[in-house]
Every structure is written in C-alpha cells, then in structure tokens.
Amino acid sequence: MPLHLIKLCVGVESIEQLTGWIAEDILRQRGMGLEAEDTHTTRMMPKRIPELLDGGSLYWVIKGQVQARQRLLDLQAVTGADGIQRCRIVFDPEVVATEWQPKRPFQGWRYLLDKEAPRDLASIGGGGDELPSALKAELAELGLL
C-alpha cells in the first residue's frame, strides 16, 4: 500500500493555475535546453522514501481543500546555496483532480495514509468539470461541498 505526502499549494488559487504554472516551467526549462522536470524543493527530507516511491503521490491543498495530486517520481537530497540540506521532490507533471477534502493550514508537508487520501474524480465517475472552480471554492467555503 503506497504512502503519500500532503502539502499546501501556497499562492495557487485553482487546479487550472497549478497546471498552468507547471506547463510554463516545463516550457522554460526546454527553452533553456534542460531536461524538463516538474519539481518542488522543501526543507525536510521524508524518512519513509521507499513507501512514498511505491506508487505514492503528493496531495495539494488549494484554498483550504485537498483538490489534486501528482504522482511522486523521486525524492532527492540537495544542498542549497546557503549550505542547508533540502529535499527536491520530482513529480509526474500530470495533475489529477481529486474529491475535495477540507484541510486546515499546516507547515511543511505531512504523511498521508492511502486509506485517508481522497479519491480521484475520474475513479468515481466525475470529471470535476460540472461546476466552475470559483463556484466550487465558494461552496466549499460555505461548507456545502
């Protein structure tokens, strides 16, 4: 059974904005002649790496709701210019919409057990396109979604 991570997607208002940022970053990397990867660097390195890389994903909390996930491809130890060790997370660039699940703010990342992870919308017959993102966000804030 895979283990997942959950993290706040700071500065992002919607799944569409997240996918747009990823696409722009990949185009920028390709334009610089680099091998394009979708990555995120965070301060702490997880200890349970084999479980995370055995089918795990990072679930993104956007505007107080778990809304999407990206499959984890690799976790790499890197050292910043300041000499501090960090974790570089490498993702599959595909963003998968999930059921919305409320989540309070927290620092860094947390482990998320597979049985607690929200289901993919596609697996439950929903494409997530029934309602516009802004309306879904407003309904969620009101506790109606």
Side-chain angles (χ1 to χ4, degrees):
M1 185 178 313
L3 180 66
H4 309 287
L5 295 175
I6 186 167
K7 185 165 179 36
L8 300 181
C9 199
V10 179
V12 171
E13 300 286 321
S14 67
I15 294 175
E16 295 80 16
Q17 185 179 16
L18 175 62
T19 57
W21 281 9
I22 292 167
E24 286 175 19
D25 193 41
I26 287 175
L27 281 175
R28 181 188 58 77
Q29 291 175 51
R30 286 188 181 137
M32 295 171 59
L34 302 172
E35 183 179 336
E37 290 184 307
D38 183 24
T39 66
H40 177 77
T41 302
T42 189
R43 174 68 178 93
M44 302 303 292
M45 175 67 93
K47 304 278 187 250
R48 300 169 68 180
I49 294 172
E51 292 170 87
L52 291 167
L53 296 179
D54 187 24
S57 292
L58 186 137
Y59 283 77
W60 289 112
V61 178
I62 301 170
K63 301 291 286 178
Q65 300 281 331
V66 178
Q67 294 185 32
R69 70 174 180 85
Q70 285 181 270
R71 191 168 53 87
L72 297 170
L73 299 180
D74 200 7
L75 298 162
Q76 305 166 344
V78 295
T79 304
D82 55 7
I84 296 175
Q85 190 95 11
R86 293 185 169 81
C87 176
R88 182 174 180 260
I89 304 170
V90 181
F91 303 105
D92 180 328
E94 179 186 11
V95 177
V96 179
T98 66
E99 292 179 301
W100 282 30
Q101 186 181 82
K103 189 71 176 172
R104 288 203 156 113
F106 57 93
Q107 295 258 330
W109 53 262
R110 301 285 184 267
Y111 290 116
L112 179 65
L113 299 176
D114 195 54
K115 66 182 179 185
E116 297 170 353
R119 297 178 295 176
D120 294 352
L121 285 182
S123 74
I124 57 173
D129 297 330
E130 315 82 42
L131 297 174
S133 297
L135 179 58
K136 283 178 78 171
E138 212 171 307
L139 291 172
E141 280 184 37
L142 295 169
L144 300 173
L145 189 64

